[in-house]
Amino acid sequence: MDFTRDNILLDVKAASKEDILLEMSEYAKSLGFIRNTEEVYEAFKARELEYSTGLQDGFAIPHAKTDAVLVPTVLYARSEAVLDWETFDDNGVKHVFALLVPKKDAGTTHLVMLSKLATALMEEDFKEKVKVTTDVDSLAKIIKNEMQGVG
């Protein structure tokens, strides 16, 4: 899985968790990562009903495991507004790392992606860089290095 500037959405004008999940689903479709926007959006919502993917410090890692996903992918979106999202620190979310995984990879690729992101999000330096970096190419490099275990 590659992570490039195309995997990043900055300054997203979402009013809710559902808005940003739909926008990320539509964006994934436009990039050819998925074949059906609605199916992926519904998979995100179903996962959130099981247990919130909100973490802390403004981050969430929603995931969609569905056959509508063609390529295992991570997308990052930064919301302009703080979104209402159940989190460990009871604060909202502005930073969303969405995992898109074909069902066949749910127990393998999905767990590796989730583990790398969760580990990265325990590092204050990584979180701060993600929060403040405005150059898309620099941000893509920061995230890619973490996803590949470099840096």
Side-chain angles (χ1 to χ4, degrees), residues 72-102:
T73 305
V74 174
L75 296 177
Y76 168 72
R78 181 184 299 154
S79 174
E80 284 187 349
V82 175
L83 305 173
D84 187 29
W85 207 303
E86 186 180 330
T87 61
F88 295 127
D89 60 3
D90 294 323
N91 291 319
V93 166
K94 284 188 79 163
H95 308 277
V96 180
F97 284 98
L99 306 183
L100 302 158
V101 184

Side-chain angles (χ1 to χ4, degrees), residues 30-72:
S30 76
L31 294 175
F33 293 141
I34 67 171
R35 66 174 139 76
N36 184 296
T37 301
E38 188 64 26
E39 205 173 319
V40 169
Y41 175 61
E42 291 300 325
F44 277 132
K45 290 193 324 184
R47 175 59 184 84
E48 288 298 317
L49 288 174
E50 289 175 24
Y51 194 80
S52 176
T53 59
L55 302 174
Q56 59 193 29
D57 300 323
F59 287 88
I61 309 178
H63 23 291
K65 295 179 275 187
T66 171
D67 290 329
V69 176
L70 302 171
V71 181

